[in-house]
Amino acid sequence: MDPSGLKLNFWENGPKPGQFYSFPGSSLTPGCGPIKHTLNPMVTGTSVLGVKFTGGVIIAADMLGSYGSLARFRNISRLMKVNDSTILGASGDYADYQYMKQIIEQMVIDEELLGDGHSYSPKAIHSWLTRVMYNRRSKMNPLWNTVVIGGFYNDERWLEFSNLAVCLGLFSVRLFFVSMQPLMREVVENKVEITKDEARALIERCLKVLYYRDARSYNRHEIAIVTKEGVEIVGPMSCETNWEIAHMVSGFE
Amino acid sequence: MAAATAMRFGQLSSGSDMAPDWTTKEVSTGTTIMAVEYDGGVVIGADSRTTTGAYIANRVTDKLTPIHDRIFCCRSGSAADTQAIADVVTYQLGFHSIELDEAPLVQTAANLFKASCYRYREELMAGIIVAGWDKRRGGQVYTVPVGGMLVRQPVSVGGSGSTYIYGYMDSNYKPNMTKDQCLRLVSGALSLAMERDGSSGGVVRLAAISETGVDRQVILGNQLPKWSTTGYIPYCLSKGLEIYPTV
């Protein structure tokens, strides 16, 4: 017993020879190896939008990488051209997107080297990426992204998404799916097809509304258009914003 | 940086009430680091405080670590993690440079950092700024934040103190500044961050890297620029305001 009467907590139940000792306050339990799973997204991108029109597909995303609530990287591109018939946009963790981009680019190069005239179709890329993301998810080490793949291949348009929860089907715009639905439905519903200009106008309107209402967005975006002619990535651009209603509001009652 | 650190280590303090927090908290370079490109090179800077919880383990740390002759890295996050990564990259880059028989590119060094930081992202807590000069692209600054992405920027700040100086940087950085303007920008920004961030302090270490070499300087604690609000009482007296804080 210590003569001064002071007992220091961290030596109580001290280490026994040959045993792992768990220091009080330590976040690791004894015997547990380094954490290898459950990623936390760090620098993230917000929504990605996509629309099909007659003759092609448009995908758009803003150019912001958020570090929590901090708008840290304001000039990063979240859209990529996979090949002449496919484009891809990603939201979620940017480091995981950069990793994905590197893998996909290498895959496309390897395919070109085969020189047999074939290239990956958008459906093939989507299917492959979905499998990759599912496998990573099953190993409890997901790629923390929602990826939108658009393309125009063999006169067929393709627009699908894939994410870490791996649900197929409905096209969603991450958190802001619900707010974008009415806007998009108004233009797209009751029409079999929309023109390229209508699609572009719709996308830009949605981007503007997202800038008004998404606290993690930024007024700087890029748009990727894929048609029979190939892929065109336009940007960076900004939306004209209208704040006139500010004059109509004063006080809080 | 501050938010992430609080998230990871915030739970530890409730555990041991008798043991001081420096026995349980990890050693971290809660920090302010910064790098700016100019035509012909880069200027990098860092504070000099290393903390274990609230105890300052080292008040004269050198966070500007040479990776190669004209390439440096600024380290923030866990001291052990960043030192280990820097050692690994220094070895890898040195080997690569010998194979090439020429000076390595800054982009190569940055990609080596990214490879390690991304691969082990769950186990590491490291935010690194890689900056240097090479003859292909001149002065370059690459940021590898926590998580392991890589992006090139003309100016970059990092570490827990960086949140306090984003405004200063946004308003005072202009493209195409001279080396002296960059040095003033960096020392001003760092001293402001050190003023407000408890995890940053000590001296300002600066380095200017260019084709001709590396020029290192230290601005000691008592020589830092004094801002008008440094010390509340002299400010009040000079403006004839009440001393009692009303806000």
Side-chain angles (χ1 to χ4, degrees), chain B residues 31-36 43-48 63-64 74 129 156-162 164-166 168-169 182-197 199-207 217-219 224-225 227:
Chain B
T31 288
T32 317
I33 49 178
M34 186 165 170
V36 191
V43 168
I44 58 176
D47 73 304
S48 70
K63 302 179 191 178
L64 305 176
C74 309
I129 300 180
S156 182
V157 292
S160 59
S162 65
Y164 303 100
I165 50 171
Y166 273 101
Y168 180 82
M169 203 185 73
C182 289
L183 282 163
R184 269 198 300 273
L185 177 73
V186 174
S187 57
L190 289 174
S191 61
L192 282 168
M194 284 156 58
E195 172 74 15
R196 290 293 188 172
D197 180 28
S199 315
S200 304
V203 308
V204 170
R205 294 197 186 273
L206 294 168
Q217 305 170 25
V218 182
I219 305 179
L224 290 170
W227 305 90

Side-chain angles (χ1 to χ4, degrees), chain A residues 25 38-40 93 96 98, chain B residues 12 118 121-122 149-150 166:
Chain A
T38 330
L39 294 170
N40 300 301
D93 187 77
D96 282 342
Q98 282 187 323
Chain B
L12 300 181
Y118 181 69
R121 64 183 285 176
E122 289 310 296
M149 69 178 260
L150 171 67
Y166 273 101

Side-chain angles (χ1 to χ4, degrees), chain A residues 6-10 24-27 34-43 67 70-76 93-99 102 136 141 143, chain B residues 1-2 4 7-8 11-12 15-20 23-24 114 118 121-123 143 145-151 153 156-159 162-163 166 169-170:
Chain A
L6 237 190
K7 264 171 81 176
L8 289 175
N9 258 3
F10 63 96
S26 163
S27 55
I35 303 164
K36 282 197 176 78
H37 47 263
T38 330
L39 294 170
N40 300 301
M42 286 293 167
V43 177
Y67 189 68
L70 171 66
R72 192 160 174 196
F73 301 106
R74 298 167 296 178
N75 195 21
I76 54 166
D93 187 77
Y94 196 72
D96 282 342
Y97 163 67
Q98 282 187 323
Y99 169 74
Q102 195 184 332
R136 287 282 300 252
N141 184 15
L143 289 166
Chain B
M1 190 63 214
M7 197 167 70
R8 285 276 279 256
Q11 298 91 321
L12 300 181
S16 33
D17 21 294
M18 285 294 275
T23 56
T24 50
K114 179 196 80 169
Y118 181 69
R121 64 183 285 176
E122 289 310 296
E123 291 99 315
T143 313
V146 178
M149 69 178 260
L150 171 67
V151 69
Q153 297 177 291
S156 182
V157 292
S162 65
T163 51
Y166 273 101
M169 203 185 73
D170 285 340

